[in-house]
Structures are given as C-alpha cells and as structure tokens.
Amino acid sequence: MTRSSPFGSPLFLGFDHLEQMLERLSKNGGEGYPPYNIEQTGPSSLRITLAVAGFTMEDLAITVEDSQLVIRGRQAEDSQGRVFLHRGIAARQFQRTFVLAEGIEVKGAWLDNGLLHIDLERLQPESRARSVPIGSRPGGATP
C-alpha cells in the first residue's frame, strides 16, 4: 500500500524539503522524554523549555541541523563508590528534535533550576514580489 502525499500535487513545486521534515517529525513523535513546553513570549518570539533535572551545561548540546533544532543530553556516570537502595532519577541520554520553520532563528539558551530554556525569534521576511515582463518568443518564430 503506497502512502499518498499532499506534496505530490503539481501545485506544490519545490516543497520536497518540507515533506522530508514532516517525515522526520512523524518518526520522532512518540518520544516523550524530556517533557517540554513551548510558549509565545512576544509577537515574534518563542521559548522552548525542557525539564532536564540532573543534567549540567556540560551534559547538554544544542545544534541546528538542516532547519531542525536538536537538543542532546548525556550524563557522565559518576556513581563510583555510591550504593543506591533505590534509583528513581533517570540518568539516561536523550535527543529531542524540533523542526524550525523558515525564518526562525535560535537567539540563545540557558539552564536554570533543572530547566533548559531556548529562545527563538521569527524574523520578518522581506517582500519578494516582482514583475515578470511578457515579451515575444525568442527568435520571433511562432509554433
């Protein structure tokens, strides 16, 4: 059974990259760790907040790869000499990916009380309207 895509229509020329991003997003959709919030902090600004208790700044990495914001966390094993009677605090690695729309820029990030905050801003696109002149067929011949 083949899956039809709305981007297969001839009306959507050049949207192949958008279709690929949607496919990547659907593959990542089931992962729920770490939990996060997305809030609008201004008319053109957003903030993503991830709950990363137990992670230090050195344990976290934030990159932008092909219009995707990727947050990775990996804790170093420091349980040397410690005996846990119960270990309920997760010490696992994670990767959380957010697809960024065109014109969204990452402005900064900070870690505060176990919450990683990432500020984003939507840049106002400049108008790209232009006229296309209509001329005669090159060479003057008609078909």
Side-chain angles (χ1 to χ4, degrees), residues 72-84:
R72 293 181 179 93
R74 177 180 213 123
Q75 290 179 319
E77 289 294 323
D78 67 343
S79 60
Q80 298 168 338
R82 296 166 68 185
V83 177
F84 292 98

Side-chain angles (χ1 to χ4, degrees), residues 19 35 47 70 72 82-84 88 91-92 96-97 113 118:
E19 184 176 15
R47 178 172 296 142
V70 181
R72 293 181 179 93
R82 296 166 68 185
V83 177
F84 292 98
R92 62 182 176 182
R96 172 68 75 178
T97 304
N113 293 325
I118 303 167

Side-chain angles (χ1 to χ4, degrees), residues 52-97:
V52 292
F55 287 85
T56 65
M57 285 188 283
E58 292 78 25
D59 297 332
L60 300 168
I62 301 170
T63 57
V64 177
E65 305 169 4
D66 297 326
S67 299
Q68 292 187 64
L69 174 65
V70 181
I71 301 110
R72 293 181 179 93
R74 177 180 213 123
Q75 290 179 319
E77 289 294 323
D78 67 343
S79 60
Q80 298 168 338
R82 296 166 68 185
V83 177
F84 292 98
L85 299 178
H86 172 76
R87 188 165 189 169
I89 299 173
R92 62 182 176 182
Q93 65 182 6
F94 70 87
Q95 177 174 312
R96 172 68 75 178
T97 304

Side-chain angles (χ1 to χ4, degrees), residues 11 136 138:
L11 298 175
S136 61

Side-chain angles (χ1 to χ4, degrees), residues 4-12 19 22:
S4 72
S5 168
F7 298 102
S9 167
L11 298 175
F12 291 106
E19 184 176 15
L22 289 172

